[in-house]
Amino acid sequence: MKYIKKIVALVIGIALFAAVIICIGRIFAVRNINVTLVTYDEDSSESYEKAKTTLKPFKGESIVFISSDDVAEKFKDSNFTVTSCVKKYPCTINVVLKERLEIFAVSVGGQYSMYDDEGKFLRKYTANENVNDGSPNVKISGAAEDEIGEVARIAAAFKNKFKALRSLVSEITLDTDTSIDDYTERLIFGLRCGLKIQLDNYSEYTEEKIKASYEEFSKLTDKDKLNGVLRSYHRLDGEVKAVYTNI
């Protein structure tokens, strides 16, 4: 009889424990997933619905075991990146998604690899056509994969000063040669109008060289902008200069 009482008590204890677990599971099951889109598209309704559908598998799962990495994994191959994922107990997740703006194209084996404004890979395609508007992206030449992020950073500084990038620049060329000592490394912006803007030793005084280039660019006539090179460099006396040469 004593053993029967212990078994009954054990069974009751297990049942109560299971009941508590089930109740906790229901309380902390995800019921609401709120999505905020930071997008460049005026009509984002389709993207919003796709995002909601992508996150739907989390509905009913325990909020305790869902991490930001789990949410980010769902969007790793999309045009959106997770900038914020906040869990509001007991049952709500708030997610902020930012559109990855396609800007750059790199020719690889007869195809183009597309990158966003931070130099992160987006997709591959047979032609250099932007996913949103069909116009060409800015082509990057001469850069290794691990250098694209740095090129994108400099391009962002260029855009900040010139107030345009894709509409103004057709190609960015990285000219380096590690086999030659003291080689002048150049970053060249090939403008759609025909002019080339060249930053000598581009990794040093980069923003100052872009600023000097812009000031000189603003002085050029429309005819001057059709060809030639606008070269920016750092002089030994410390001054950053930009000089236009009609070639």
Side-chain angles (χ1 to χ4, degrees):
M1 181 67 87
K2 184 168 66 173
Y3 293 110
I4 293 176
K5 288 182 178 180
K6 287 183 177 180
I7 292 173
V8 171
L10 179 61
V11 171
I12 292 174
I14 292 173
L16 288 173
F17 179 75
V20 170
I21 294 298
I22 292 171
C23 289
I24 292 175
R26 288 182 177 178
I27 292 171
F28 290 103
V30 175
R31 292 185 178 85
N32 307 306
I33 301 178
N34 300 320
V35 177
T36 301
L37 291 181
V38 180
T39 179
Y40 304 91
D41 192 353
E42 293 182 2
D43 182 9
S44 60
S45 57
E46 183 177 350
S47 296
Y48 179 80
E49 290 303 321
K50 284 183 178 179
K52 294 285 284 187
T53 301
T54 300
L55 294 170
K56 193 173 181 180
F58 291 121
K59 285 280 189 76
E61 297 293 323
S62 174
I63 194 173
V64 176
F65 301 111
I66 298 173
S67 69
S68 297
D69 290 340
D70 295 328
V71 175
E73 180 70 15
K74 292 290 186 180
F75 293 95
K76 68 175 184 177
D77 296 321
S78 76
N79 278 352
F80 287 90
T81 183
V82 178
T83 60
S84 174
C85 179
V86 178
K87 295 189 286 187
K88 296 289 185 180
Y89 288 92
C91 60
T92 300
I93 300 177
N94 296 326
V95 178
V96 178
L97 300 173
K98 179 184 176 183
E99 184 178 6
R100 297 173 63 187
L101 186 59
E102 186 173 295
I103 296 289
F104 305 106
V106 178
S107 179
V108 181
Q111 286 191 318
Y112 286 92
S113 294
M114 307 303 188
Y115 293 81
D116 66 10
D117 54 341
E118 295 180 355
K120 296 178 181 178
F121 176 78
L122 282 173
R123 67 187 181 103
K124 288 186 177 181
Y125 194 57
T126 54
N128 181 13
E129 296 178 357
N130 186 276
V131 68
N132 294 313
D133 55 35
S135 298
N137 290 314
V138 178
K139 187 178 178 181
I140 295 178
S141 300
E145 186 174 357
D146 59 356
E147 294 174 315
I148 293 175
E150 177 67 6
V151 173
R153 185 191 67 79
I154 296 173
F158 181 95
K159 180 181 179 180
N160 185 55
K161 177 56 67 175
F162 282 77
K163 307 305 179 186
L165 187 62
R166 277 187 62 215
S167 61
L168 182 63
V169 179
S170 61
E171 184 172 4
I172 300 175
T173 303
L174 188 62
D175 178 12
T176 62
D177 192 337
T178 56
S179 67
I180 300 177
D181 293 336
D182 299 324
Y183 186 81
T184 301
E185 297 184 332
R186 304 172 179 88
L187 189 71
I188 304 166
F189 293 87
L191 306 193
R192 298 190 185 280
C193 59
L195 179 71
K196 295 183 185 298
I197 296 179
Q198 175 179 305
L199 309 183
D200 287 358
N201 293 320
Y202 68 92
S203 61
E204 300 174 356
Y205 303 95
T206 307
E207 294 193 10
E208 290 86 349
K209 290 171 182 175
I210 291 174
K211 179 181 178 183
S213 297
Y214 176 74
E215 291 174 352
E216 190 65 24
F217 176 80
S218 300
K219 300 174 185 177
L220 299 179
T221 65
D222 290 342
K223 182 180 179 180
D224 291 335
K225 294 175 183 178
L226 294 176
N227 53 43
V229 176
L230 179 56
R231 172 174 165 258
S232 184
Y233 59 97
H234 181 244
R235 299 194 342 172
L236 293 177
D237 62 6
E239 184 181 6
V240 174
K241 292 278 292 182
V243 178
Y244 169 75
T245 303
N246 189 345
I247 298 176

